Amino acid sequence: MASTLEQLAAFIATTEFEQLPSSLVEQAKRHLLDTFGASLAGTDSAIWRDCLALVSEEGGKAQSVVWGSDAQFPPRQAAWLNGVAAHMYELDDTGGCDHSGAVVLPALLAALPLATHPVEGRALIVAMVIGYDVGRRVLEACGGYSAHNGAGWHSTASCGVFGAAAAVCSLLQLDRQQCASALGIAASFSGGLWGFIHDGSHTKKLHAARAAEGGVQAALLAQRGINGPSAVFEAKWGGFLQTLAPETQQPAALTADLGSVWKLARCSIKPYASCRGTHAAIDALGILLSQHQVRVEHIERIVVGLNPFLLDMCGGRELQSLASAQMSLPYALAARALYGSAELGSYDDAKRLHPQVGEFMTRIVLEIDEQQGRDDEPWVRIETQHGEQWEHHVAVASGAPANPLSLETLLAKYRSLAARVLPLEQVEQLETLCLDLDDVADVREMVALLAAG
């Protein structure tokens, strides 16, 4: 019987477009467009410009487009830069490895110039779907999001590198042995810690980038015949699961329903520029404010009932850095109440650091609800100065597959972000190509539209 690694390698090497459900293809195109919007907006940030300057000093043979600029760099460097941009503003999709779009797509498009033949849109969709699938399966094999991230690993990096490697292997049409080696090599490139949560440091922005870069490198090394360990997922000393998830590992998840249950189908598109853990509470507060026509100045308290894991991850109130604010549930609720939204504009320095925000956040109380599990969404209660109380619970946050954004809402998000760095005509052309990707004969046409200047 084929090993787990051999089964995954065969899945990467042999999956074809005709095997994908039509609904999955449509979802893939939407996630592609959403990732481009988030990434283009991310190039309009000081951190990304510092990263660009660093890469520019290193030099190298330019082949791959850096999105939102007129620069080109070697594939690994381009994957890294585009990964930084994609995860910069917490606007990229979630529910995969976790942030699969910010890992898989920078890796794929960076590797595109290395293909020896024109790549059809259908082939790019297949590679994308495979990348999402493998990255998520590795996370589930670690015990799932709460267990793995709760142990201190940032799964976007630690598991995402496998998704990036798998996607590039598919794009470059590597054989089964090469795909297996790439996954084995990717395991040694894995990393990413949640240490940034305590001080608002910038490493979270770098994790998707590092995973994308590592995935490209793993695939290119395997393509040249450099092999990776064959027992990478076995219960042996030095194996990935045995090392990173010794107590929570679920190795059967790597191949359960492989090729019939597609992990992209469970992924969400984010409407807000904050950690996904805050979204259901933002939704709930918005519903309460709308239903009861509550004036902000009449709010005595906003009480949120949540589980300990979410409190540890999103309970902070430090707003000096953008990174801290985007992980803060209290700020997300304050932004929704004071500014009407938790979109990217509400995280600007002027709004985030306004004196009224600090005062309002003193009215937001987070309390542990012992009835909630680690994956449950919080409830929100408004208490007014007049003694009124209203409570609401959103079980499935907006943007999730069971509560999806409308196409109109998605396009509005994409256009508002992409237009920060690209001319409107170019934004619209890119949109059209993404939504018609399965009919595109050569995706280099699409890549050219990602460049600015």
Side-chain angles (χ1 to χ4, degrees):
M1 184 176 178
S3 70
T4 295
L5 183 62
E6 290 170 336
Q7 292 178 65
L8 287 173
F11 170 69
I12 297 167
T14 63
T15 297
E16 297 180 351
F17 182 82
E18 288 70 26
Q19 297 171 244
L20 307 183
S22 58
S23 60
L24 189 73
V25 171
E26 293 306 308
Q27 185 178 356
K29 293 188 290 187
R30 293 191 181 196
H31 279 258
L32 177 70
L33 186 68
D34 183 66
T35 301
F36 285 160
S39 303
L40 289 165
T43 65
D44 186 26
S45 68
I47 295 173
W48 184 85
R49 288 191 290 271
D50 286 341
C51 291
L52 176 63
L54 174 64
V55 170
S56 298
E57 292 171 4
E58 295 176 356
K61 183 180 178 182
Q63 293 173 282
S64 301
V65 169
V66 175
W67 307 342
S69 79
D70 59 358
Q72 293 189 18
F73 290 102
R76 282 194 299 125
Q77 293 174 319
W80 186 75
L81 278 170
N82 291 333
V84 171
H87 197 45
M88 179 57 59
Y89 288 136
E90 292 290 339
L91 286 160
D92 46 315
D93 63 15
T94 186
C97 66
D98 181 40
H99 296 278
S100 291
V103 172
V104 169
L105 291 169
L108 269 180
L109 271 66
L112 190 63
L114 304 179
T116 57
H117 55 282
V119 176
E120 295 181 348
R122 292 187 173 196
L124 186 68
I125 291 172
V126 170
M128 176 183 171
V129 167
I130 286 172
Y132 273 69
D133 216 81
V134 172
R136 177 67 197 186
R137 288 179 178 277
V138 173
L139 175 55
E140 292 178 359
C142 289
Y145 181 88
S146 295
H148 188 59
N149 288 269
W153 298 104
H154 186 204
S155 59
T156 298
S158 58
C159 303
V161 66
F162 292 94
V168 175
C169 285
S170 172
L171 183 82
L172 299 182
Q173 299 183 348
L174 271 57
D175 62 32
R176 297 186 188 198
Q177 183 56 52
Q178 291 170 322
C179 293
S181 286
L183 293 180
I185 295 168
S188 285
F189 290 171
S190 176
L193 302 174
W194 272 89
F196 58 83
I197 198 70
H198 305 296
D199 56 14
S201 53
H202 297 150
T203 53
K204 187 175 192 287
K205 312 302 181 185
L206 308 178
H207 287 171
R210 195 64 168 166
E213 177 194 19
V216 171
Q217 180 77 328
L220 296 183
L221 290 169
Q223 186 181 42
R224 289 180 173 271
I226 297 174
N227 58 33
S230 59
V232 65
F233 294 123
E234 307 300 324
K236 295 182 178 181
W237 182 73
F240 176 79
L241 297 178
Q242 195 74 1
T243 303
L244 270 67
E247 304 298 328
T248 61
Q249 60 181 296
Q250 303 288 333
L254 287 164
T255 55
D257 300 313
L258 188 64
S260 59
V261 173
W262 303 94
K263 301 302 181 180
L264 171 61
R266 72 176 311 284
C267 292
S268 303
I269 289 177
K270 298 172 68 174
Y272 310 124
S274 59
C275 175
R276 184 63 175 174
T278 69
H279 285 206
I282 298 171
D283 287 340
L285 178 61
I287 290 169
L288 289 172
L289 292 172
S290 176
Q291 285 183 346
H292 302 286
Q293 298 294 303
V294 185
R295 294 174 63 90
V296 172
E297 59 268 26
H298 293 162
I299 295 175
E300 182 75 24
R301 294 201 312 168
I302 296 175
V303 182
V304 183
L306 71 174
N307 62 68
F309 177 67
L310 184 58
L311 179 63
D312 288 343
M313 185 169 67
C314 295
R317 296 171 183 263
E318 173 56 51
L319 304 181
Q320 287 301 312
S321 78
L322 174 62
S324 290
Q326 289 179 310
M327 297 302 298
S328 171
L329 175 55
Y331 180 72
L333 296 179
R336 176 61 185 84
L338 294 172
Y339 304 132
S341 81
E343 297 172 354
L344 185 56
S346 297
Y347 284 82
D348 289 346
D349 287 357
K351 290 186 176 180
R352 192 176 78 243
L353 303 177
H354 194 283
Q356 68 176 339
V357 170
E359 187 281 326
F360 189 83
M361 285 175 60
T362 64
R363 301 186 239 167
I364 298 175
V365 179
L366 307 183
E367 59 181 41
I368 296 296
D369 181 350
E370 300 293 349
Q371 303 302 312
Q372 290 192 16
R374 295 185 76 173
D375 296 322
D376 290 338
E377 300 289 5
W379 51 259
V380 175
R381 183 172 70 242
I382 291 179
E383 301 174 1
T384 75
Q385 295 170 348
H386 307 300
E388 301 159 310
Q389 291 189 12
W390 302 288
E391 185 173 305
H392 195 70
H393 175 241
V394 173
V396 180
S398 57
N403 187 13
L405 300 184
S406 66
L407 179 59
E408 180 182 13
T409 301
L410 168 63
L411 293 180
K413 175 190 173 184
Y414 159 74
R415 292 166 185 165
S416 70
L417 296 175
R420 284 173 164 243
V421 294
L422 296 182
L424 181 58
E425 181 181 2
Q426 196 169 332
V427 169
E428 293 173 345
Q429 290 174 336
L430 181 59
E431 174 187 310
T432 298
L433 277 177
C434 285
L435 295 180
D436 294 333
L437 185 59
D438 41 338
D439 294 324
V440 173
D442 188 344
V443 295
R444 285 176 295 188
E445 179 183 0
M446 182 179 67
V447 175
L449 291 171
L450 287 164

